[in-house]
């Protein structure tokens, strides 16, 4: 999981995904000759920092967001959130401004509800800070900040190796209000007529979804996907023999929000491994769930 | 009001409107030969579970949502809401899973803010439950769950009988975040150049809008429609002699949200009968308001 | 600043921008012959009450919203908000209904959280009330209700005088949920391929942004613009020598919300003078910040 570790260490908070985008373009360029099918690689200003991989005659599209949560430096030593990071005194944060590299500490004053950093100099206004990556691997688990969603990106890259027909979209801003899936999905629908979406992202270990029991197929979160489409996916999963779990939530969201509200009749379903310690530097995922995530995506992209 | 009763009894919570969609397609197929104008009937995968009826040369479009509020079974005996149903211990809920038909009872633990069902077996994860329909009719009123919005659908079907030019759109997901009017309105604008919308839905009896005083024309809810368009509608209503009431609210919303945020310059106005006991199994509407709703829609579709 | 005073006095709350739209069309008609470049003036039903000015071969677009905050008369003497006006007992409000001109007083009962007006007669349901304009000018400052965003509109008109290539969009509904920038930005992208946006609007004097220190370039508010685009703007501003300040906020929003969520890959940045007494009848802006706002827009529209 060397690649996953590399992905987790790249600075790419919402709105500034360009480092990860460049890394992926380079990775794709270097590896695609070994893939079963050569995709068209779409990127550039008309896609902002997003990337589309188009394989063969696509019927379905995988969306995997590249961005992460983090913090923006405000005035003095104040911080404002990027997305919804967990807050705990002492978390190590890293970044860079014109004066150089930064490694500082998160400070939270609960009474004043004030987020700040502790560092030996003032950091420039607008600088982004992200969790410092401490990548840990055991026989059964991977643990790091930003498994959400570098693991979803990583999984999509595994699927790419054997994908014959389908689209993989690497998106931006998912953790902070969205803003790229609207135009990606319009482009995909208009160019390829594709309207079946799969959200390759990481969900939560809960009282109903357990670590190590298989990838989660989400029947709903804060939004409700079209039931007919979700049932189709569940049927394919059942037939495949791959372990999976059904998730039912009343909260949470994903890139699917933009598909649901799209100007085009997109169906969508969230399919992803569950993690514990959500949005902390210590997100942890069971390797069995990673395996079943990749395996199920391969089947879904073939059968859907 | 046999048809209205049938509509109220169909299981069609947000995201799973297919039963109502099929019922309507069948109804339209059986009845349209008696209608004044034969509409084009648009449906199928490119419209998900929605239906468009296009009559003559349309200038305006009616949007009537098919979906209802309800509950999704989570883990154990937990429930999560679909839309914003009223919560009261003892409400009867119905549904179906692979083990068969379900009739159970809503349980609400206020202290723990926990929604649950009471039933003699565990219900399968992801199963949808809706209010059990107890349809009641008096000389003056109709009462049932889901008058919101089966009455808006029913009214649109009455209007269809004599409609010469116009569009009727049966939409999905209105009660839970929206998701179909965006693409329906894009399609309508692009294909027919139509950008005048009317929202055929049910509103609230309040301190300013009374049962039996006529259909409500809403001047605003949480969103504000373009004043010039609303004034045009009010002028037509005044000239028509049909009883109506003006509504002004700071909250609430409808399919109009998606028209307001559309990529196309849609005007919209909510025109609908008021109900009491909103989002309970006992929604009640005065028949005079039903009559004036249908009558005003007929005039508006002609004059707008 | 006679023109600014005229703009501040025009009744144009969200949803009813037609008076300001007509004023601007008239102003443009009378003045454009003195402008360096003759723009195409796009308006009419397909743009609702919005206006587009297209100069030469545009690469960037300025968005300036015409609408203001205010109040809608509900039932009895109740009021509901349009947008987020400041609330204080005694604010003077003006409007008009079929019975004539209105000048009344805002009443707020904090305990009951009830907004009302005090007037010698009942005002008709649905009537809009706005702050009474008391325009004040000193050597250093301008003060009035609705500098947000009549000053943003005024600034765009100054820029228009010498603009050679670019688009100026006068938009609606910014203060209350949006609803016009979605279709304006679609039209602009499809017709002209333009996807660089600048938000000509007024921001806040805060602990990090001071009156008189120059126009604010916002690095983020509740949403996060693409960093690469904001950095480009900051570089242009630095080279220009025009005074400016960097803003970093975790809250607030603008017409940019609709660009961010657009079906097209728009970049955006908020560039505007800061004001104190936000959303009150006493909004105040330093003239130095007005000057640097106009100056920076002229440079940006040339260099971007």
């Amino acid at each position: 999981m060397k690649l996953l570790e590399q992905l987790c260490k790249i600075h790419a908070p919402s709105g500034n995904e360009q480092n990860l985008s460049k890394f992926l373009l380079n990775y794709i360029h270097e590896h695609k000759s070994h893939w079963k099918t050569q995709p068209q690689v779409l990127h550039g200003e008309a896609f902002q920092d997003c990337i589309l991989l188009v394989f063969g005659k696509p019927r379905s599209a995988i969306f995997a967001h590249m961005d992460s949560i983090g913090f923006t430096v405000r005035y003095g030593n104040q911080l404002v959130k990027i997305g919804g990071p967990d807050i705990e005194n002492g978390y190590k944060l890293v970044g860079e401004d014109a004066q150089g590299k930064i490694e500082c500490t998160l400070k939270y004053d609960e009474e004043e509800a004030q987020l700040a950093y502790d560092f030996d100099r003032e950091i420039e206004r607008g600088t982004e800070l992200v969790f410092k990556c401490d990548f840990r691997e055991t026989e059964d688990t991977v643990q790091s900040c930003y498994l959400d969603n570098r693991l979803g990106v990583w999984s999509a890259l595994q699927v790419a190796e054997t994908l014959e027909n389908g689209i993989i979209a690497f998106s931006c801003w998912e953790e902070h209000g969205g803003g790229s899936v609207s135009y990606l999905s319009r482009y995909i629908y208009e160019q390829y007529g594709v309207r079946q979406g799969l959200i390759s992202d990481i969900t939560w270990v809960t009282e109903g979804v357990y670590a190590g029991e298989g990838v989660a197929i989400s029947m709903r979160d804060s939004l409700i996907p079209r039931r007919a489409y979700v049932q189709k996916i569940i049927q394919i999963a059942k037939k495949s023999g791959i372990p999976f779990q059904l998730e039912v939530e009343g909260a949470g969201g994903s890139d699917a929000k933009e598909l649901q509200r799209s100007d085009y009749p997109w169906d969508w379903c969230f399919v992803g491994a569950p993690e514990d310690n959500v949005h902390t530097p210590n997100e942890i995922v069971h390797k069995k769930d990673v395996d079943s995530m990749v395996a199920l995506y391969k089947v879904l992209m073939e059968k859907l």
Side-chain angles (χ1 to χ4, degrees), chain A:
Chain A
M1 307 202 103
K2 188 71 200 150
L3 172 61
L4 178 60
E5 183 173 353
Q6 287 179 295
L7 291 172
C8 287
K9 287 185 167 159
I10 293 172
H11 178 91
S14 306
N16 193 13
E17 295 87 350
Q18 50 189 334
N19 290 333
L20 188 46
S21 186
K22 281 176 199 160
F23 178 91
L24 288 177
L25 283 172
N26 193 49
Y27 177 90
I28 292 159
H29 182 70
E30 285 180 359
H31 290 76
K32 73 175 183 206
S33 63
H34 306 295
W35 294 354
K36 190 166 180 178
T37 305
Q38 294 306 299
Q40 231 193 316
V41 183
L42 300 170
H43 64 103
E45 281 296 299
F47 298 94
Q48 296 184 324
D49 296 314
C50 299
I51 303 167
L52 288 185
L53 303 178
V54 184
F55 297 80
K57 297 193 173 173
R59 297 177 310 276
S60 309
I62 295 172
F63 293 86
H65 74 86
M66 294 183 287
D67 61 304
S68 80
I69 51 176
F71 303 89
T72 317
V73 174
R74 195 176 176 246
Y75 312 134
N77 71 341
Q78 298 172 357
L79 295 176
V80 288
K81 292 182 188 181
I82 298 170
D86 185 60
I87 301 301
E88 199 175 292
N89 270 307
Y91 279 165
K92 292 282 171 224
L93 305 178
V94 294
E96 187 170 1
D97 64 11
Q99 297 169 61
K101 300 254 181 205
I102 298 153
E103 181 171 334
C104 61
T105 306
L106 181 62
K107 282 199 323 183
Y108 181 56
D109 181 334
E110 214 165 329
E111 263 178 43
E112 310 233 340
Q114 278 241 339
L115 273 181
Y117 63 82
D118 190 14
F119 194 45
D120 55 18
R121 63 168 173 88
E122 188 164 321
I123 302 175
E124 284 173 18
R125 199 173 278 199
T127 302
E128 304 139 334
L129 300 172
V130 299
F131 290 136
K132 186 181 179 186
C133 180
D134 173 18
F135 194 88
R136 290 148 281 177
E137 198 177 344
T138 70
E139 205 177 320
D140 288 339
T141 62
V142 283
Q143 185 166 25
S144 172
C145 59
Y146 304 139
L147 292 180
D148 170 6
N149 186 36
R150 304 302 155 79
L151 187 52
V153 168
W154 180 91
S155 173
L157 290 172
Q158 310 311 304
V159 175
E161 296 181 1
T162 56
L163 187 58
E164 292 181 80
N165 300 295
I167 290 173
I168 296 175
F170 296 109
S171 68
C172 296
W173 281 296
E174 191 272 345
E175 297 287 5
H176 198 97
S180 68
V181 170
S182 293
Y183 67 78
L184 293 174
S185 59
R186 177 189 59 75
Y187 184 89
I188 292 170
Y189 185 87
E190 288 191 345
Q191 296 298 312
Y192 306 103
V194 169
R195 46 172 231 80
Q196 296 189 126
L198 293 169
I199 308 300
S200 178
D201 200 347
I202 302 306
T203 187
W204 312 327
V205 168
T206 60
E207 59 198 296
V209 172
Y210 310 107
E213 303 279 307
V215 61
I217 298 175
S218 181
M219 298 186 75
R220 62 167 289 185
D221 49 32
S222 64
L223 291 178
I224 302 175
R226 193 159 69 118
R227 194 169 184 85
Y229 181 67
V230 174
Q231 297 289 19
K232 197 164 138 189
I233 285 169
I234 294 171
Q235 291 315 314
I236 294 171
K238 277 186 180 163
K239 274 194 196 160
S240 76
I242 297 161
F244 72 94
Q245 306 176 71
L246 292 178
E247 178 183 79
V248 178
E249 289 292 341
S254 71
D255 271 342
K257 285 186 184 180
E258 295 183 65
L259 295 180
Q260 176 68 15
R261 291 166 188 162
S262 166
D263 278 2
Y264 301 88
W266 276 87
D267 281 323
W268 58 271
C269 185
F270 183 110
V271 179
E275 71 174 18
D276 216 340
N277 308 328
V278 174
H279 283 196
T280 74
N282 306 307
E283 299 177 356
I284 186 164
V285 176
H286 201 289
K287 284 182 176 177
K288 277 193 192 165
D289 301 333
V290 175
D291 292 346
S292 70
M293 182 174 178
V294 174
L296 185 55
Y297 267 95
K298 287 183 178 177
V299 173
L300 288 172
M301 292 303 282
E302 201 188 314
K303 303 286 186 195
L304 265 179

